[in-house]
Amino acid sequence: MTTGVPVPHDNALAHCTGAARFADDLPEPPGLLHAALVLSPVAHGVLGAIDAPPGVIVLTARDVPGTNDISASGKGGEPLFAEASVQHHGQPIAMVLAETRDAALRAAAAVRCAISPLPALLDMEEAIARESFLMPPQVVARGDAASAIGTAPLRAEGTFRAGGQEHFYLESQVAIAVPGEDGEIAITSSTQHPTEVQHIAGRVLGIDYTRLPVTCRRMGGGFGGKESNASWIAAAAALGAWRTGRPVKLRLARKADMAATGKRHPFLFRWRAGFDASGRVLGLEATLAADGGHSLDLTPGVVFRAITHALNCYDVPAVRITAMALRTNTVSHTAFRGFGGPQGVLLMEDVIRGVARGTGLAPETVRERNFAGGPNDTLTPYGQALEGDLIRRVWAECRQDAEWDRRRAEIAAFNATHPFIRRGLGSFALAFGISFGVRHLNQAGALVHVYTDGSIRLNHGGTEMGQGLNVKVAQVVAESFGVPLDRVRITATSTAEVPNTAPTAASTGSDLNGWAAHRAATTIRGRMAEVAGALWEVPAEEVRFAEGRVFVARPGDNRAMGFADLAHRCWMERVSLSATGFYRTPDIHWDPATMTGEPFFYFSYGASVAEVAVDLLTGEHRVLRADLVQDCGRSLNPAIDRGQIEGAFVQGMGWLTCEELYWDAEGRQRTLGPSTYKIPGSRDVPPVFNVRLLQDAPARQDTIFRSKAVGEPPLMLATAVWNAILDATGLDRIDLPATPDRILTALSARGS
Ligand code: MTE
Ligand code: HPA
Ligand code: MOS
């Protein structure tokens, strides 16, 4: 078995030694020009003349031969380079090309753009008041929420905000475009979505996709930030190559990357709920407003995930959730690990705390009383079943791991004696839907070749961003052929090898590409079995592949040969050893007219408990301990999954506690580098960090080798930290991120 075992990341050593080549490490092609972007210094304005110093090659919207539109939706309104107006601070206006990167950066800084400033719309409340929407508000409703709230014995309401998040991938956005023969431009891109790079470059240049092969060997992190934003970076490089006939590299400096690329959507929440003395929520009305920035990008999908995750793993009989996508003069917000889910699941946390205050119950009791499903499954308000037994299992096991009751008492004793440190415990439980909200993206292809020495070349449509997708898919292929993992060679993602792919996103990489690769491998294995069966005069079904050998599955029949020998024999017999595999997720559907359906193939479940210590004098805090239980089904690779859970949790902690984006009153981003934007460091990792994969986790759906997705869900487990901070301080509300500044301000306002 090569799946289900803890295999290291295929590039673990190469990443650490620097041997792994990222796009900027590749040898530079002769004649390479370096590109630098000219970004808008203002948030909103009318764009006039663009003046460059003499001798500088400057490309603007006027140089676009095709369509100046980089919208993922294809609906327009998202120019590569600004045309008549600028809509946000940091918007690309032009691109400069020069012989060296330094020269390009200097020249870009010397370009002058005449802009007459206009008032900038920056605030979410103001955007709501002015109905500045990117798309019509969406509503998911069941029952009569207003009257359920009206007739409930108790009521509560709340409002809070969650900030956005910068991806801060270690490798900033980069693409290299190399002109070839006959109008071809080969693109190397650090992208989660090579096919969309191909499409956007094709649209901008007005040329066929066949002339635009796109390759990505690996990214130095993507986290959603390279799902749509990588496409326009690559299109800009391709435009430079098309204009000059020379190779062009565009690599954004950190500051330019933070200014010009989208982030996680900030959200504003408002809700009112009716409940009873037992803590059962009877009715809930809520509005979730997402700040989409100046253009659509992937906001419809983010809003969809927020609205379908607003009840998380809880059941509320009468509910009405409205989700809005606000248009403001900020950079267009985009995919970020969880894709609106992390924001959506915050809603019930505030509701649960409100109900706990109203009833005098512990939030954990309120949680338990409102879990969806009993022994049976219950439906989400949009009509999909949740597995109540699994929610309860992850929850119960996590509370047990965390020794909840003992530590509750211990913490109370500590708090009673310490003059200014307050410790607190917080919990969280999660049901996260797996599948792309957009149905057609739930497909994948793979291409497998077996060579006559028995080595196997694997290519699939997914991209590697550090998450371990390649090793997982290679494990699947090795297991399909019954060969050791080192027989399978992982190759760069390429639109020329596997075309028309979906982005590697929505945590579906191994689900989709694992199945596609398994099918390709199974096709070849079937042909190989026929050859062996003919040789041994047994039916092909009786030929088995295991441990690098091929044999007859009959007691007493010892005939066998090496996998490589059979591969060679197939060649001699003129049998093809190459195949494609294709997979589409079955049984998913959604009706936008009624906002109902079963959009997710399955749910991933998790639970967490976090302990914090807050310094009441400074507002600073530390996470002292975290206990996490994450359902990964039958994990393809427990070592990789564990790494994903740990990394996601810490990234979630960063979003909720220290990473703060700040736009000044004129709409200029003021957090454009690590000096002003704080991501968690190694010392923020909880010193006691108990991460556990749910054992014997059933995967009810037919997932690849019964595994479950892991990339995004554990980010949300960090929500327990928010609850722990509120528990420690006794505050009713702290907006996110819960920075020391916010905590101290809230404590001062309360007067403690
Ligand atoms: N892990 C690493 N190391 N780097 C990343 O960029 N991206 C996350 C997650 N884990 C990311 C990561 C996001 S946003 C997603 S959607 C998934 O990986 C995508 O990969 P998968 O579908 O193969 O899990
Ligand atoms: N997640 C990430 N990216 C996406 C999704 C999603 O659910 N839908 C479309 N793009
Ligand atoms: Mo992940 S936000 O779906 O790339």
Side-chain angles (χ1 to χ4, degrees):
M1 295 286 263
T2 50
T3 64
V5 291
V7 178
H9 192 285
D10 43 298
N11 293 136
L13 195 60
H15 285 159
C16 295
T17 58
R21 292 204 293 196
F22 295 84
D24 197 44
D25 301 325
L26 298 173
E28 293 185 344
L32 180 75
L33 286 169
H34 294 265
L37 296 174
V38 178
L39 304 177
S40 172
V42 302
H44 192 199
V46 178
L47 180 61
I50 301 169
D51 287 317
V56 171
I57 313 171
V58 183
L59 304 180
T60 68
R62 274 191 240 139
D63 296 288
V64 171
T67 312
N68 183 27
D69 172 26
I70 56 159
S71 62
S73 64
K75 289 183 181 161
E78 306 189 44
L80 172 59
F81 296 122
E83 279 183 53
S85 67
V86 291
Q87 297 293 333
H88 71 92
H89 175 236
Q91 182 172 354
I93 296 174
M95 184 173 73
V96 167
L97 301 174
E99 299 295 332
T100 67
R101 188 155 183 274
D102 283 348
L105 290 168
R106 267 197 310 275
V111 173
R112 294 282 160 263
C113 306
I115 301 172
S116 338
L118 293 168
L121 175 52
L122 301 166
D123 181 57
M124 287 195 273
E125 307 261 9
E126 193 185 334
I128 296 172
R130 286 167 49 180
E131 300 195 0
S132 174
F133 297 142
L134 289 165
M135 55 187 240
Q138 315 269 297
V139 178
V140 163
R142 174 173 69 195
D144 184 347
S147 67
I149 298 167
T151 56
L154 296 161
R155 275 178 286 283
E157 58 182 37
T159 174
F160 66 97
R161 284 170 182 250
Q165 187 177 19
E166 162 62 34
H167 302 85
F168 227 105
Y169 22 63
L170 288 182
E171 178 206 37
S172 60
Q173 304 266 0
V174 52
I176 304 148
V178 182
E181 285 184 14
D182 192 26
E184 181 173 305
I185 298 176
I187 299 175
T188 300
S189 166
S190 178
T191 177
Q192 292 174 241
H193 199 349
T195 289
E196 193 174 85
V197 166
Q198 186 187 32
H199 291 183
I200 302 291
R203 191 196 292 156
V204 165
L205 298 182
I207 64 177
D208 288 352
Y209 299 159
T210 50
R211 286 200 160 83
L212 292 161
V214 179
T215 309
C216 175
R217 173 59 185 87
R218 62 172 65 78
M219 283 159 273
F223 305 113
K226 294 173 183 168
E227 183 175 341
S228 63
N229 278 271
S231 304
W232 67 261
I233 307 283
L239 174 65
W242 187 86
R243 271 276 154 197
T244 61
R246 289 170 62 177
V248 169
K249 172 150 76 178
L250 175 59
R251 170 166 71 82
L252 299 193
R254 179 65 59 186
K255 198 170 168 186
D257 191 306
M258 290 181 78
T261 67
K263 298 155 202 329
R264 185 189 291 288
H265 290 62
F267 266 61
L268 173 67
F269 302 79
R270 287 196 191 121
W271 59 267
R272 50 186 213 108
F275 51 99
D276 64 21
S278 78
R280 183 85 179 99
V281 183
L282 304 171
L284 173 66
E285 277 183 341
T287 300
L288 280 59
D291 183 348
H294 79 100
S295 73
L296 205 55
D297 186 72
L298 304 175
T299 296
V302 170
V303 165
F304 174 80
R305 204 166 263 284
I307 205 171
T308 49
H309 286 73
L311 284 195
N312 186 7
C313 54
Y314 302 98
D315 177 48
V316 178
V319 35
R320 184 178 175 83
I321 317 259
T322 307
M324 299 170 177
L326 307 176
R327 188 188 176 288
T328 61
N329 291 112
T330 52
V331 63
S332 190
H333 295 305
T334 193
F336 196 134
R337 207 167 193 173
F339 204 72
Q343 295 95 320
V345 299
L346 295 176
L347 174 69
M348 283 306 288
E349 298 307 301
D350 206 46
V351 173
I352 286 167
R353 291 191 301 255
V355 173
R357 278 194 297 275
T359 54
L361 297 166
E364 284 63 39
T365 309
V366 179
R367 238 182 243 302
E368 288 169 0
R369 301 229 161 119
N370 290 285
F371 275 147
N376 305 314
D377 302 341
T378 40
L379 299 184
T380 60
Y382 54 87
Q384 179 150 9
L386 284 167
E387 292 142 68
D389 53 339
L390 268 182
I391 297 167
R392 283 166 179 74
R393 240 186 93 187
V394 291
W395 171 252
E397 292 189 18
C398 184
R399 278 194 51 144
Q400 194 172 8
D401 289 359
E403 307 168 276
W404 180 274
D405 296 322
R406 181 184 70 71
R407 284 167 64 217
R408 195 67 287 176
E410 182 187 299
I411 288 167
F414 174 90
N415 288 343
T417 56
H418 201 284
F420 58 85
I421 302 282
R422 290 290 172 275
R423 283 159 63 183
L425 269 185
S427 62
F428 181 72
L430 174 72
F432 187 79
I434 302 298
S435 286
F436 284 98
V438 179
R439 181 170 165 273
H440 71 264
L441 296 179
N442 295 288
Q443 58 172 308
L447 175 63
V448 173
H449 307 320
V450 175
Y451 293 99
T452 51
D453 65 352
S455 64
I456 299 161
R457 184 180 194 278
L458 164 64
N459 196 275
H460 59 82
T463 54
E464 177 67 40
M465 57 196 100
Q467 85 277 39
L469 173 63
N470 280 339
V471 70
K472 285 186 176 179
V473 180
Q475 285 174 275
V476 167
V477 169
E479 185 156 327
S480 310
F481 283 117
V483 299
L485 185 57
D486 64 9
R487 299 309 283 153
V488 182
R489 180 154 185 80
I490 291 161
T491 54
T493 314
S494 164
T495 57
E497 295 203 47
V498 175
N500 309 326
T501 51
T504 306
S507 306
T508 59
S510 54
D511 284 19
L512 299 176
N513 296 287
W515 257 125
H518 181 60
R519 289 186 174 170
T522 310
T523 300
I524 299 172
R525 191 187 60 195
R527 294 184 204 138
M528 293 176 79
E530 292 286 347
V531 171
L535 175 72
W536 292 326
E537 293 174 333
V538 298
E541 300 77 63
E542 290 184 24
V543 177
R544 292 283 182 280
F545 294 69
E547 288 167 21
R549 296 182 67 73
V550 184
F551 55 93
V552 183
R554 263 186 202 171
D557 188 334
N558 293 328
R559 286 175 297 170
M561 71 172 107
F563 180 80
D565 294 337
L566 178 57
H568 189 261
R569 179 169 285 273
C570 289
W571 188 60
M572 299 304 289
E573 295 294 332
R574 298 180 298 171
V575 169
S576 166
L577 289 171
S578 173
T580 59
F582 183 78
Y583 174 75
R584 60 168 164 255
T585 313
D587 309 327
I588 46 175
H589 58 95
W590 181 256
D591 179 359
T594 57
M595 293 292 279
T596 57
E598 291 173 291
F600 305 116
F601 191 35
Y602 61 88
F603 286 88
S604 152
Y605 299 93
S608 57
V609 169
E611 178 180 345
V612 299
V614 183
D615 183 332
L616 299 181
L617 303 179
T618 65
E620 289 167 300
H621 68 271
R622 308 199 68 94
V623 179
L624 302 178
R625 172 170 167 177
D627 292 86
L628 318 181
V629 175
Q630 176 65 45
D631 160 29
C632 296
R634 181 185 170 279
S635 169
L636 287 173
N637 185 330
I640 295 286
D641 285 359
R642 202 190 153 85
Q644 284 290 295
I645 297 165
E646 291 176 355
F649 181 84
V650 173
Q651 194 167 42
M653 270 174 54
W655 170 49
L656 295 168
T657 62
C658 65
E659 298 186 34
E660 183 162 35
L661 296 164
Y662 180 74
W663 283 267
D664 67 17
E666 278 80 55
R668 287 174 302 207
Q669 282 190 63
R670 285 306 175 93
T671 40
L672 293 181
S675 59
T676 43
Y677 185 80
K678 188 189 179 312
I679 58 170
S682 55
R683 295 207 307 152
D684 296 308
V685 175
V688 182
F689 200 10
N690 299 322
V691 172
R692 192 154 69 75
L693 274 54
L694 185 69
Q695 290 307 301
D696 309 314
R700 290 195 197 163
Q701 277 70 20
D702 193 11
T703 55
I704 184 72
F705 293 139
R706 300 279 157 186
S707 64
K708 278 183 158 188
V710 71
E712 298 167 288
L715 180 136
M716 282 151 270
L717 300 184
T719 309
V721 174
W722 187 35
N723 288 326
I725 292 170
L726 288 158
D727 180 61
T729 55
L731 292 164
D732 290 346
R733 169 179 169 180
I734 304 174
D735 285 349
L736 297 163
T739 56
D741 185 9
R742 281 220 174 85
I743 294 172
L744 198 58
T745 306
L747 288 170
S748 315
R750 187 180 64 180
S752 69

